[in-house]
Amino acid sequence: TVILSNTDMLLNQCTEADEHSEKRLGNIRAESIRMKGLVEDMLDLARSDAGRLKQQLAPVSVSDTVMDAVLLFEALVFERQKELQYQIEENLSVLGSGDRLKQLVEILLDNAMKYSPEQGCIWVKLERNSAKTLRLMVANTGDTMTPEQCRRIFERFYRTDPARQNNGGYGLGLSIASSIVTEMGGKIWCESRNGINSFFVQLPLCREE
């Protein structure tokens, strides 16, 4: 935060004659933002490991959370000339944290955005899986992964291949998603076949009064 504050101050003081300085300061700012994100993700995981992220559980609408996230990403998907299809069942709720559930959905959508190819497609589906559970699927076109890669992809810093390092992340997003699902008493897994990578989340539904 201190680095970013000072960098912003210096950028505001740059003149047109300081083109090279402005470029260097811009690089410092961009890398500082990435490092800040990395530190926050690692702290998030550390708190989860220590059991300090458990919050007061309350009914939260998964249907509304997923729809809000989809609408947020829809413009970005269109801008990048990809296709987004979604099917969201209404009135599905779980006991959990609204903020953590929002973070989970955004991680899965962001992952699909990053690793789908140009002109690719992203699918989102939320449905009642049984009388007691719901299932969320976020899938995208992409390179088919092996069963071992599907199993290990939720490990911290894991990359299915070195090329994934060029997408701006550090390999922590899906690990955080896994910790959120565990906190909410659910399970998460990945399946990959025929050029489609699918991430599934199963969560217990709120008991109907």
Side-chain angles (χ1 to χ4, degrees):
T1 301
V2 173
I3 293 171
L4 284 169
S5 297
N6 282 277
T7 303
D8 287 340
M9 181 183 67
L10 290 171
L11 278 169
N12 289 332
Q13 294 175 352
C14 280
T15 65
E16 293 183 4
D18 298 323
E19 181 181 348
H20 294 295
S21 296
E22 185 176 0
K23 184 176 180 180
R24 294 189 182 98
L25 287 169
N27 290 337
I28 291 172
R29 188 178 192 281
E31 291 304 312
S32 295
I33 290 173
R34 291 187 67 211
M35 186 60 67
K36 185 172 184 286
L38 172 61
V39 171
E40 289 172 349
D41 286 348
M42 293 181 69
L43 285 172
D44 196 351
L45 287 168
R47 293 188 188 104
S48 180
D49 288 346
R52 291 163 54 192
L53 280 177
K54 293 182 179 178
Q55 304 179 32
Q56 187 68 34
L57 299 182
V60 56
S61 172
V62 183
S63 300
D64 290 347
T65 301
V66 174
M67 179 59 76
D68 288 346
V70 165
L71 293 176
L72 183 68
F73 273 80
E74 199 167 30
L76 183 59
V77 171
F78 178 78
E79 180 184 325
R80 298 189 180 179
Q81 298 183 333
K82 299 183 182 184
E83 182 179 355
L84 175 62
Q85 300 178 15
Y86 55 91
Q87 182 179 342
I88 300 171
E89 186 173 336
E90 297 181 348
N91 303 318
L92 297 180
S93 299
V94 298
L95 283 177
S97 160
D99 289 340
R100 296 290 277 171
L101 182 62
K102 178 175 180 287
Q103 184 181 14
L104 167 65
V105 178
E106 289 180 352
I107 286 172
L108 294 176
L109 284 170
D110 184 61
N111 185 76
M113 278 290 300
K114 286 180 179 177
Y115 301 117
S116 54
E118 292 184 8
Q119 309 297 326
C121 190
I122 298 168
W123 298 271
V124 179
K125 186 175 184 180
L126 175 68
E127 61 184 346
R128 184 184 296 269
N129 189 44
S130 69
K132 296 182 178 181
T133 62
L134 63 79
R135 186 172 70 176
L136 169 66
M137 179 200 75
V138 179
N140 63 274
T141 50
D143 295 334
T144 302
M145 296 186 289
T146 66
E148 181 183 7
Q149 288 172 331
C150 288
R151 178 178 56 82
R152 297 191 59 196
I153 200 166
F154 299 101
E155 296 177 6
R156 296 173 193 183
F157 301 109
Y158 179 74
R159 304 281 189 175
T160 56
D161 63 73
R164 289 175 71 94
Q165 297 182 18
N166 297 326
N167 286 278
Y170 292 95
L172 287 175
L174 290 175
S175 182
I176 292 173
S178 180
S179 70
I180 294 171
V181 172
T182 300
E183 289 167 18
M184 299 178 69
K187 62 180 182 178
I188 186 170
W189 71 96
C190 173
E191 297 178 5
S192 181
R193 59 174 64 92
N194 301 324
I196 298 178
N197 299 319
S198 305
F199 291 84
F200 296 93
V201 173
Q202 181 174 297
L203 294 172
L205 287 162
C206 281
R207 293 183 180 179
E208 297 183 358
E209 299 295 338

